Short mmCIF file of all heavy atoms in Angstrom, two decimals:
data_model
loop_
_atom_site.label_atom_id
_atom_site.label_comp_id
_atom_site.label_asym_id
_atom_site.label_seq_id
_atom_site.Cartn_x
_atom_site.Cartn_y
_atom_site.Cartn_z
N ASP A 179 126.99 39.32 139.55
CA ASP A 179 127.87 38.53 140.41
C ASP A 179 128.55 39.41 141.46
O ASP A 179 128.63 39.06 142.61
CB ASP A 179 128.96 37.85 139.56
CG ASP A 179 128.48 36.51 139.02
OD1 ASP A 179 127.42 36.04 139.50
OD2 ASP A 179 129.14 35.96 138.14
N LYS A 180 129.04 40.58 140.99
CA LYS A 180 129.71 41.50 141.90
C LYS A 180 128.77 41.93 143.02
O LYS A 180 129.15 41.99 144.19
CB LYS A 180 130.21 42.74 141.16
CG LYS A 180 131.57 42.52 140.52
CD LYS A 180 132.08 43.85 139.95
CE LYS A 180 133.09 43.57 138.84
NZ LYS A 180 133.15 44.64 137.83
N VAL A 181 127.53 42.26 142.62
CA VAL A 181 126.57 42.73 143.60
C VAL A 181 126.24 41.62 144.62
O VAL A 181 126.17 41.85 145.82
CB VAL A 181 125.28 43.26 142.90
CG1 VAL A 181 124.16 43.46 143.91
CG2 VAL A 181 125.59 44.57 142.18
N ARG A 182 126.04 40.42 144.09
CA ARG A 182 125.74 39.31 145.01
C ARG A 182 126.90 39.09 146.00
O ARG A 182 126.67 38.83 147.18
CB ARG A 182 125.48 38.03 144.21
CG ARG A 182 123.98 37.75 144.07
CD ARG A 182 123.73 36.33 143.58
NE ARG A 182 124.35 36.08 142.30
CZ ARG A 182 123.78 36.40 141.13
NH1 ARG A 182 122.58 36.98 141.12
NH2 ARG A 182 124.38 36.14 139.99
N ALA A 183 128.14 39.20 145.51
CA ALA A 183 129.30 39.02 146.39
C ALA A 183 129.30 40.09 147.47
O ALA A 183 129.53 39.81 148.65
CB ALA A 183 130.59 39.05 145.58
N LEU A 184 129.02 41.36 147.05
CA LEU A 184 128.98 42.45 148.02
C LEU A 184 127.86 42.23 149.03
O LEU A 184 128.03 42.45 150.23
CB LEU A 184 128.72 43.78 147.29
CG LEU A 184 129.92 44.52 146.70
CD1 LEU A 184 129.44 45.70 145.87
CD2 LEU A 184 130.84 44.99 147.83
N GLN A 185 126.72 41.78 148.51
CA GLN A 185 125.56 41.59 149.39
C GLN A 185 125.83 40.51 150.44
O GLN A 185 125.36 40.62 151.58
CB GLN A 185 124.34 41.21 148.57
CG GLN A 185 123.68 42.41 147.91
CD GLN A 185 122.48 42.05 147.07
OE1 GLN A 185 122.50 41.03 146.37
NE2 GLN A 185 121.43 42.86 147.14
N SER A 186 126.62 39.50 150.04
CA SER A 186 126.82 38.40 150.97
C SER A 186 127.62 38.83 152.19
O SER A 186 127.62 38.17 153.21
CB SER A 186 127.52 37.23 150.26
OG SER A 186 128.86 37.60 149.98
N ARG A 187 128.36 39.98 152.08
CA ARG A 187 129.06 40.45 153.28
C ARG A 187 128.58 41.80 153.77
O ARG A 187 129.30 42.54 154.40
CB ARG A 187 130.58 40.44 153.04
CG ARG A 187 131.03 41.00 151.71
CD ARG A 187 132.55 41.01 151.61
NE ARG A 187 132.98 41.88 150.55
CZ ARG A 187 133.19 41.50 149.29
NH1 ARG A 187 133.00 40.24 148.95
NH2 ARG A 187 133.56 42.34 148.37
N SER A 188 127.31 42.11 153.48
CA SER A 188 126.75 43.38 153.95
C SER A 188 125.59 43.12 154.91
O SER A 188 125.01 42.04 154.92
CB SER A 188 126.18 44.17 152.76
OG SER A 188 127.06 44.22 151.69
N GLY A 189 125.28 44.16 155.68
CA GLY A 189 124.11 44.11 156.53
C GLY A 189 122.86 44.33 155.70
O GLY A 189 122.97 44.65 154.50
N SER A 190 121.71 44.21 156.34
CA SER A 190 120.48 44.21 155.54
C SER A 190 120.20 45.55 154.88
O SER A 190 119.70 45.60 153.76
CB SER A 190 119.29 43.78 156.39
OG SER A 190 119.08 44.73 157.42
N THR A 191 120.55 46.68 155.54
CA THR A 191 120.32 47.98 154.94
C THR A 191 121.13 48.14 153.67
O THR A 191 120.65 48.56 152.61
CB THR A 191 120.68 49.12 155.91
OG1 THR A 191 119.92 48.93 157.11
CG2 THR A 191 120.37 50.47 155.33
N GLU A 192 122.41 47.75 153.75
CA GLU A 192 123.29 47.83 152.59
C GLU A 192 122.86 46.86 151.50
O GLU A 192 122.91 47.18 150.31
CB GLU A 192 124.74 47.56 153.06
CG GLU A 192 125.82 47.78 152.02
CD GLU A 192 125.89 49.21 151.49
OE1 GLU A 192 125.40 50.14 152.17
OE2 GLU A 192 126.42 49.39 150.37
N ARG A 193 122.42 45.69 151.91
CA ARG A 193 121.96 44.70 150.93
C ARG A 193 120.77 45.24 150.15
O ARG A 193 120.69 45.11 148.93
CB ARG A 193 121.52 43.40 151.65
CG ARG A 193 122.56 42.33 151.67
CD ARG A 193 121.94 40.94 151.85
NE ARG A 193 121.01 40.82 152.95
CZ ARG A 193 121.38 40.62 154.21
NH1 ARG A 193 122.66 40.47 154.50
NH2 ARG A 193 120.47 40.50 155.15
N ASN A 194 119.86 45.87 150.88
CA ASN A 194 118.69 46.44 150.21
C ASN A 194 119.07 47.55 149.25
O ASN A 194 118.51 47.67 148.16
CB ASN A 194 117.68 46.97 151.23
CG ASN A 194 116.91 45.85 151.92
OD1 ASN A 194 116.92 44.71 151.43
ND2 ASN A 194 116.28 46.18 153.02
N LYS A 195 120.03 48.35 149.67
CA LYS A 195 120.47 49.47 148.83
C LYS A 195 121.09 48.93 147.53
O LYS A 195 120.81 49.44 146.41
CB LYS A 195 121.49 50.31 149.58
CG LYS A 195 121.74 51.64 148.92
CD LYS A 195 122.60 52.57 149.76
CE LYS A 195 123.00 53.79 148.93
NZ LYS A 195 124.28 54.38 149.36
N LEU A 196 121.88 47.90 147.64
CA LEU A 196 122.47 47.28 146.45
C LEU A 196 121.38 46.69 145.54
O LEU A 196 121.45 46.77 144.32
CB LEU A 196 123.46 46.17 146.86
CG LEU A 196 124.80 46.69 147.40
CD1 LEU A 196 125.51 45.58 148.20
CD2 LEU A 196 125.69 47.19 146.28
N SER A 197 120.37 46.15 146.18
CA SER A 197 119.26 45.58 145.41
C SER A 197 118.52 46.67 144.65
O SER A 197 118.17 46.51 143.48
CB SER A 197 118.31 44.85 146.37
OG SER A 197 117.14 44.47 145.70
N VAL A 198 118.33 47.83 145.32
CA VAL A 198 117.67 48.97 144.66
C VAL A 198 118.51 49.43 143.46
O VAL A 198 117.97 49.71 142.38
CB VAL A 198 117.46 50.14 145.65
CG1 VAL A 198 117.02 51.39 144.91
CG2 VAL A 198 116.41 49.76 146.70
N MET A 199 119.83 49.50 143.66
CA MET A 199 120.71 49.92 142.55
C MET A 199 120.58 48.97 141.34
O MET A 199 120.54 49.40 140.19
CB MET A 199 122.16 49.94 143.00
CG MET A 199 122.47 51.09 143.95
SD MET A 199 124.12 50.85 144.68
CE MET A 199 124.35 52.44 145.49
N MET A 200 120.51 47.69 141.62
CA MET A 200 120.32 46.70 140.56
C MET A 200 118.99 46.90 139.83
O MET A 200 118.92 46.88 138.61
CB MET A 200 120.30 45.27 141.15
CG MET A 200 121.61 44.72 141.54
SD MET A 200 122.55 44.14 140.11
CE MET A 200 121.78 42.54 139.83
N GLU A 201 117.94 47.07 140.62
CA GLU A 201 116.60 47.21 140.04
C GLU A 201 116.49 48.49 139.20
O GLU A 201 115.91 48.48 138.13
CB GLU A 201 115.52 47.19 141.14
CG GLU A 201 115.40 45.84 141.85
CD GLU A 201 115.15 44.70 140.88
OE1 GLU A 201 114.39 44.87 139.90
OE2 GLU A 201 115.71 43.62 141.09
N LEU A 202 117.04 49.58 139.74
CA LEU A 202 116.95 50.85 139.00
C LEU A 202 117.77 50.78 137.73
O LEU A 202 117.39 51.34 136.70
CB LEU A 202 117.39 52.02 139.90
CG LEU A 202 116.50 52.30 141.10
CD1 LEU A 202 117.06 53.45 141.92
CD2 LEU A 202 115.06 52.62 140.70
N GLN A 203 118.88 50.06 137.78
CA GLN A 203 119.66 49.91 136.55
C GLN A 203 118.88 49.09 135.51
O GLN A 203 118.90 49.40 134.32
CB GLN A 203 121.00 49.24 136.85
CG GLN A 203 121.90 49.18 135.62
CD GLN A 203 123.27 48.64 135.93
OE1 GLN A 203 123.43 47.53 136.43
NE2 GLN A 203 124.28 49.44 135.66
N ALA A 204 118.17 48.06 135.97
CA ALA A 204 117.35 47.27 135.04
C ALA A 204 116.25 48.13 134.43
O ALA A 204 115.87 47.98 133.26
CB ALA A 204 116.77 46.04 135.74
N ASP A 205 115.68 49.02 135.25
CA ASP A 205 114.68 49.98 134.73
C ASP A 205 115.30 50.88 133.66
O ASP A 205 114.69 51.14 132.62
CB ASP A 205 114.14 50.87 135.86
CG ASP A 205 113.16 50.13 136.77
OD1 ASP A 205 112.57 49.13 136.31
OD2 ASP A 205 112.97 50.53 137.92
N CYS A 206 116.49 51.34 133.95
CA CYS A 206 117.20 52.23 133.01
C CYS A 206 117.51 51.47 131.73
O CYS A 206 117.31 51.99 130.61
CB CYS A 206 118.48 52.73 133.67
SG CYS A 206 119.38 53.95 132.71
N PHE A 207 117.94 50.23 131.85
CA PHE A 207 118.21 49.39 130.66
C PHE A 207 116.92 49.22 129.84
O PHE A 207 116.97 49.17 128.60
CB PHE A 207 118.75 48.01 131.06
CG PHE A 207 120.22 48.01 131.48
CD1 PHE A 207 120.81 46.86 132.00
CD2 PHE A 207 121.01 49.15 131.32
CE1 PHE A 207 122.14 46.83 132.37
CE2 PHE A 207 122.36 49.13 131.70
CZ PHE A 207 122.92 47.98 132.23
N ALA A 208 115.80 49.09 130.53
CA ALA A 208 114.51 48.96 129.82
C ALA A 208 114.24 50.23 129.02
O ALA A 208 113.73 50.18 127.89
CB ALA A 208 113.38 48.70 130.81
N GLY A 209 114.60 51.38 129.61
CA GLY A 209 114.45 52.64 128.88
C GLY A 209 115.37 52.71 127.67
O GLY A 209 114.96 53.21 126.60
N VAL A 210 116.57 52.20 127.80
CA VAL A 210 117.52 52.18 126.68
C VAL A 210 116.95 51.35 125.56
O VAL A 210 116.97 51.72 124.37
CB VAL A 210 118.89 51.61 127.12
CG1 VAL A 210 119.80 51.36 125.90
CG2 VAL A 210 119.58 52.54 128.10
N TRP A 211 116.36 50.19 125.91
CA TRP A 211 115.74 49.32 124.89
C TRP A 211 114.67 50.11 124.14
O TRP A 211 114.60 50.08 122.90
CB TRP A 211 115.13 48.09 125.56
CG TRP A 211 114.09 47.49 124.67
CD1 TRP A 211 114.30 46.72 123.57
CD2 TRP A 211 112.68 47.69 124.78
NE1 TRP A 211 113.09 46.44 122.97
CE2 TRP A 211 112.08 47.00 123.70
CE3 TRP A 211 111.84 48.35 125.68
CZ2 TRP A 211 110.72 47.00 123.49
CZ3 TRP A 211 110.49 48.36 125.49
CH2 TRP A 211 109.93 47.69 124.41
#
Side-chain angles (χ1 to χ4, degrees):
D179 274 348
K180 274 187 204 152
V181 167
R182 260 194 300 277
L184 276 173
Q185 281 179 320
S186 70
R187 43 177 197 269
S188 315
S190 65
T191 303
E192 187 60 22
R193 263 203 309 277
N194 285 344
K195 193 172 171 208
L196 285 162
S197 172
V198 170
M199 287 170 170
M200 283 283 280
E201 293 305 322
L202 294 178
Q203 185 174 58
D205 285 336
C206 186
F207 283 173
V210 170
W211 158 77

